[in-house]
């Protein structure tokens, strides 16, 4: 299998030596070279990185890569095949990934479970409710067949996050065409002029909530794999921030 997995990064970092991993400097426009492939080559939206996050890498791969399978991972997050004390040894290798892909169309991370909040409530406690409301309006106009799955997803407590996946190239193309049609329209209609730096990453955040409705509506077969985090996840800090958002209404800057 010809597999290419971009590793989205904005800074120098350790990278896997497996040739299927392709380090990609996201948000490279106007920045000093990191020595990785920059996402401001070819057809690209590198200049939108402050609002689209790793999606500038997703777009670059869509427009500029050709392979049987294309995937997206992050410099701090990778799909894993096993657990060991050495996190670098956990990262899935080509042979193991080929076995997984032989039985499914898409690889996704194990779903994140918010337990006491729906996906909708979790988002609006962390960001702006208008982001999701405007997204739904746009879906209802241009892709109305996805509304039932979107509404169901918003009422669940689980969802696939991180904008991480590995897909057959035709599916990857289809997803990107669908996703960026929605996000570019959302960019036109959503006023983010008073958003703080974190909330201004809105199109990256919204896209995480669109993947499941797309998969469910298309009735696509997928398999979930664990994700290894290369750094500490700071669960105490995350827990405190969750409490602040839910019970005090204070969001991160």
């Amino acid at each position: 299998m010809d597999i290419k997995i971009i590793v989205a990064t904005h800074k120098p970092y350790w990278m896997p030596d497996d040739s299927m991993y392709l380090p990609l400097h996201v948000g490279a426009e106007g920045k000093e070279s990191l020595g990785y492939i920059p996402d401001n080559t070819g057809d690209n939206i590198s200049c939108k990185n402050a609002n689209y996050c790793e999606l500038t890498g997703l777009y670059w791969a869509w427009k500029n890569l050709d392979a049987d399978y294309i995937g997206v991972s992050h410099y701090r997050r990778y799909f894993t095949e096993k657990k060991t004390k050495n996190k670098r040894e956990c990262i899935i290798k080509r042979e193991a990934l080929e076995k997984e892909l032989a039985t499914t169309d898409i690889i996704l991370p194990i779903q994140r479970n918010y337990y006491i909040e729906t996906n909708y409530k979790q988002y609006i406690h962390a960001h702006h409710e208008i982001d999701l409301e405007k997204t739904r309006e746009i879906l209802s106009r241009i892709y109305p067949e996805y509304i039932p799955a979107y509404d169901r997803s918003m009422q669940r407590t689980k969802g696939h996050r991180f904008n991480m996946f590995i897909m057959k190239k035709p599916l990857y193309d289809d997803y990107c065409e669908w996703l960026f049609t929605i996000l570019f329209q959302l960019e036109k209609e959503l006023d983010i002029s008073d958003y703080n730096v974190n909330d201004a990453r809105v199109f990256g955040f919204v896209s995480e909530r669109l993947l499941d409705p797309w998969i469910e509506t298309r009735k696509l077969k997928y398999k979930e794999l664990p994700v290894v985090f290369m750094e500490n996840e700071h669960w105490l800090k995350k827990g405190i921030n969750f409490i602040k958002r839910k019970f005090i209404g204070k969001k991160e800057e």
Side-chain angles (χ1 to χ4, degrees):
M1 297 179 184
D2 183 12
I3 306 170
K4 290 185 173 69
I5 303 173
I6 64 167
V7 183
T9 186
H10 64 277
K11 64 181 181 181
Y13 206 82
W14 174 86
M15 294 288 170
D17 58 9
D18 191 310
S19 62
M20 71 179 178
Y21 290 104
L22 187 67
L24 183 69
H25 181 183
V26 294
E29 183 66 21
K31 306 288 177 51
E32 186 176 339
S33 173
L34 298 179
Y36 307 136
I37 295 174
D39 71 348
N40 63 343
T41 57
D43 189 347
N44 72 87
I45 56 169
S46 181
C47 62
K48 296 180 183 287
N49 182 259
N51 305 123
Y52 280 75
C53 310
E54 64 277 349
L55 295 186
T56 63
L58 177 68
Y59 184 96
W60 182 89
W62 174 34
K63 295 295 186 178
N64 299 284
L65 281 186
D66 187 26
D68 298 326
Y69 292 86
I70 292 184
V72 181
S73 63
H74 307 159
Y75 72 99
R76 293 186 299 180
R77 299 187 185 104
Y78 294 89
F79 289 108
T80 179
E81 58 182 305
K82 58 185 177 181
K83 288 187 177 181
T84 68
K85 291 183 178 180
N86 186 332
K87 292 184 177 181
R88 295 181 181 181
E89 293 179 357
C90 293
I91 298 171
I92 196 165
K93 306 297 192 299
R94 179 184 294 272
E95 183 177 358
L97 183 57
E98 287 183 351
K99 291 180 180 178
E100 300 290 356
L101 290 171
T103 60
T104 190
D105 296 325
I106 303 172
I107 298 292
L108 297 176
I110 292 175
Q111 295 185 75
R112 170 166 284 186
N113 194 335
Y114 299 110
Y115 295 102
I116 63 173
E117 284 192 316
T118 64
N119 289 316
Y120 187 85
K121 290 293 186 180
Q122 185 278 331
Y123 187 96
I124 67 174
H125 286 151
H127 308 292
H128 294 272
E129 186 170 14
I130 187 63
D131 304 345
L132 296 182
E133 294 300 308
K134 184 61 70 173
T135 298
R136 191 183 188 283
E137 289 179 19
I138 292 169
L139 270 176
S140 67
R141 295 200 309 265
I142 61 178
Y143 295 118
E145 66 273 24
Y146 289 85
I147 287 292
Y150 179 82
D151 288 344
R152 287 192 296 269
S153 177
M154 289 296 104
Q155 294 308 309
R156 297 187 188 116
T157 60
K158 294 181 179 181
H160 296 100
R161 297 293 179 260
F162 312 134
N163 282 321
M164 286 180 63
F165 42 76
I166 303 167
M167 300 183 191
K168 289 182 177 179
K169 183 60 162 59
L171 287 176
Y172 187 92
D173 291 344
D174 182 87
Y175 176 62
C176 287
E177 180 69 38
W178 180 84
L179 176 68
F180 286 105
T181 297
I182 296 166
L183 295 181
F184 289 160
Q185 189 60 39
L186 181 62
E187 185 179 9
K188 294 177 182 178
E189 298 184 25
L190 187 66
D191 180 8
I192 65 171
S193 58
D194 63 346
Y195 281 19
N196 62 34
V197 173
N198 185 58
D199 285 342
R201 300 162 64 198
V202 55
F203 307 113
F205 295 142
V206 167
S207 69
E208 290 183 276
R209 279 75 185 176
L210 289 173
L211 178 59
D212 285 335
W214 179 74
I215 288 175
E216 185 174 330
T217 301
R218 296 289 307 277
K219 296 180 172 58
L220 297 172
K221 182 170 63 174
Y222 65 86
K223 183 168 185 178
E224 295 179 341
L225 291 179
V227 170
V228 59
F229 293 77
M230 306 305 290
E231 299 175 351
N232 292 330
E233 295 189 67
H234 305 293
W235 286 111
L236 178 60
K237 180 180 178 181
K238 289 182 178 181
I240 292 172
N241 286 334
F242 172 79
I243 292 171
K244 287 180 178 179
R245 292 196 304 266
K246 184 169 180 62
F247 300 106
I248 305 176
K250 181 176 176 57
K251 301 178 182 179
E252 296 97 327
E253 293 299 321

